[in-house]
Amino acid sequence: MPSNVDMTSIARNWRLDGVQVPTPSDVVAEVFATDVLTLEELRQRLSKPVWRSLLATRDRGAVLDPAISDTVALAMKTWAMEKGATHYTHWFQPLTGSTAEKHESFVMPTSDGSAISQFSGKELIQGEPDASSFPSGGLRATFEARGYTAWDPTSPAFIMRHSNGATLCVPTAFASWTGDALDNKTPLLRSLEAIHSSTIRALRLFGDTESQRVESTVGAEQEYFLIDEEFYYRRPDLVMCGRTLFGARPPRGQELEDHYFGSIPDRILTYMTDAEHQLYALGIPIKTRHNEVAPGQFEVAPIFESSNIAADHQQLVMQVLRTTARKYGLVCLMHEKPFAGVNGSGKHVNWSMSTDAGQNLLEPGETPHDNMQFLFFCAAVIRAVDLHQDLLRICVASAPNDHRLGANEAPPAIMSIFLGEQLTEVYERIVSGKGGGSKKSGFLGLGTQVLPKLPQHASDRNRTSPFAFTGNKFEFRAVGSSQSVSFPITVLNTIIAESIDALSTTIEARMKKKQSFEAALLEVLKDTYAKHERIIFNGDGYSGAWHTEAERRGLLGLRTAVDAIEHLHSKKNTGLFSSYNVLSSRELEARQEVFFDLYFKTVNIEGETTEWIAQTQILPGALRHLREMKETGVEIAGVQRAVTEMTGAVNALSDAIVELRAQNMELGGDDVHSKSIHMRDNVIPAMNRVRVAADALERITAHDHWPLPSYREMLFVK
Ligand code: ADP
Ligand code: MG
């Protein structure tokens, strides 16, 4: 099939005709959360005692009284059926990073030939999907292949709609029968307990007797690409791998930077409005949308929420963006690097902590007391990031994210913190004791002596840092666009909880020795900053000089995902996660296995797809062009020159294919770790050589013999 596509027809033929587009008037207020079983909605449907019992489960983790589960289930089913749902599903997040659902009908046939609708308490609380096809990292031996899903009453149930129906989705955790977590939600919920107890303990030291509950908050910005569906189906690499394995750079990329924040083309804007409309109905507070840096790249960001809900919502954002695109003849690419040489996509995870009274613990305060509390929590973050650089790198480690981290557009694989000049200066003054310090006692004295007024809204921005303070939260930018945010949040919650506890312990010890709280606090801030200052870097993270400097400072530089994943099940990390009951040693080890497994499989598929496209599409296309030229007659000097050039390029491609084929035949051993190493050290370089040869051919092969839509075509049709 001559593969090239007619750009004109693709650009012109797409029409909104027949696409049901929601009208903007019913956006937000009327639509928001209409497909969510909110607490209020549920309360109205339950009797007082049942409601109270349910709240106890929700807020204090009490076991749900089996006597009330049938009543709750009935209320949920009635609500869902009123919304048009015919099925329900336990919606969960296996370690693949996606979400899984197995739909069960509400309607049960009866022996007399009629049907009744049913959804019992038992079915609400626990489900039994066949777990054997979800990754478990060896936690689930095949003889006990079953796993179970358990209702998470802290995240509301919701309705997922499709063209002619709807399903009630019950957010659940997923575990093996031995009780080991097989999903991303379980450890996240456990890490929320860690952040809660450590912050409450610290707040009490600061004299806060009111706060009852602290949770971490997350707002995740999602970047993605949109391309026309026509191109997608003509690119087996996109279909198989989610990214292009071939493609010469177009003469114009993002150099002009005219796309960034530019006006959004109508078709795209309509698509975005549609997706947002659905997300609003799901109770997801989408706030911003704009064009991103690369052509064809866009971003959407919600208002932040409690991190467990934010993580569930993030999965839904990806799902809705993907499914809605098809309605508009588009494909949404979530891959971290769909196009080489063009900016990749990330997911900026904004993270903070909030009390039940709504106080943001990373917001610099108005008073010196509040400022000291802020500096304390901020110091805990600095310490955590320095001590656990490995974990921050590991939780974003994947084959696709390797194309992004460390390239000149995304944060480097070295973890560091951008604090901004003003805040850095404040800590430095504390360390040096400049400005007096302990002459007067009491907060006011301390504060006014040591502290300048803290920036209310830090104005300085740094896009090159993997972990940046942005005024009242930290922004973790190394997270990949396609990954689940659950594990990164779990890591942040756990390492920061541990740090807060460590600082509290030191303060308490000093107070036992009769030091005042204020003096102890100042000492702890001073020591902590002095010890972990090396992790602060306010400069250009993309520069080569930073790599040298980071090495001098002794910071970890885990270049590839494989280097990073190797560190997951270390003694330090096992101790950390098990002491906070977030992940047992077994569960952690299982995750390491799963990460290696995903890495190896991803690259393996790419290696084989590369070989296959090069051999069966690109090489034949080039040969047809070569034959045509020879038929034209090599006595023409220009033809002779082209034939010589093409012959060289064809040979280079052919050699590279032979080499890749040999690497693809190998697996690199029996275990996922050695397989991953083989993929990284042998398959990826061999793939790259095939690509270089093929991209060179693309520049000299007649357009009508080139089998794949080019970057020039895919990225610029709107
Ligand atoms: P910026 O100007 O830094 O981009 P925005 O207010 O636009 O700040 O926020 C960017 C993202 O950060 C949004 O998704 C937002 O919800 C999130 N965010 C803001 N405050 C917090 C917070 N306290 N905790 C977690 N995320 C937050
Ligand atoms: Mg941002």
Side-chain angles (χ1 to χ4, degrees), residues 254-274:
Q254 60 203 49
E255 295 81 4
L256 297 179
E257 304 209 321
D258 52 349
H259 176 72
Y260 190 46
F261 277 43
S263 69
I264 305 173
D266 189 49
R267 173 184 183 185
I268 308 286
L269 198 52
T270 314
Y271 155 76
M272 286 174 168
T273 313
D274 193 338

Side-chain angles (χ1 to χ4, degrees), residues 228-307:
D228 196 288
E229 208 173 32
E230 286 249 9
F231 294 129
Y232 178 78
Y233 285 118
R234 288 164 200 261
R235 294 281 322 207
D237 44 3
L238 279 179
V239 176
M240 293 291 143
C241 312
R243 75 173 176 110
T244 55
L245 300 169
F246 299 96
R249 314 243 156 115
R252 169 181 153 183
Q254 60 203 49
E255 295 81 4
L256 297 179
E257 304 209 321
D258 52 349
H259 176 72
Y260 190 46
F261 277 43
S263 69
I264 305 173
D266 189 49
R267 173 184 183 185
I268 308 286
L269 198 52
T270 314
Y271 155 76
M272 286 174 168
T273 313
D274 193 338
E276 282 166 15
H277 185 87
Q278 297 168 58
L279 292 169
Y280 288 145
L282 289 167
I284 302 172
I286 296 298
K287 195 181 80 166
T288 57
R289 56 182 177 212
H290 60 79
N291 288 357
E292 255 306 323
V293 175
Q297 193 185 29
F298 305 91
E299 181 184 298
V300 62
I303 292 170
F304 67 95
E305 301 175 276
S306 166
S307 55

Side-chain angles (χ1 to χ4, degrees), residues 219 221 223 260 290 292 299 301 347-350 461 463 470 473 475 477:
E221 306 161 46
E223 295 177 339
Y260 190 46
H290 60 79
E292 255 306 323
E299 181 184 298
K347 184 138 54 194
H348 296 175
V349 173
N350 294 273
R461 285 286 157 122
R463 291 168 54 89
T470 52
K473 61 190 181 287
E475 184 171 346
R477 303 204 178 106

Side-chain angles (χ1 to χ4, degrees), residues 2-10 230-231 234 703 706 708-710 713:
S3 40
N4 23 78
V5 273
D6 175 4
M7 265 182 97
T8 322
S9 73
I10 286 187
E230 286 249 9
F231 294 129
R234 288 164 200 261
H703 185 60
W706 193 253
L708 304 168
S710 66
E713 292 163 315

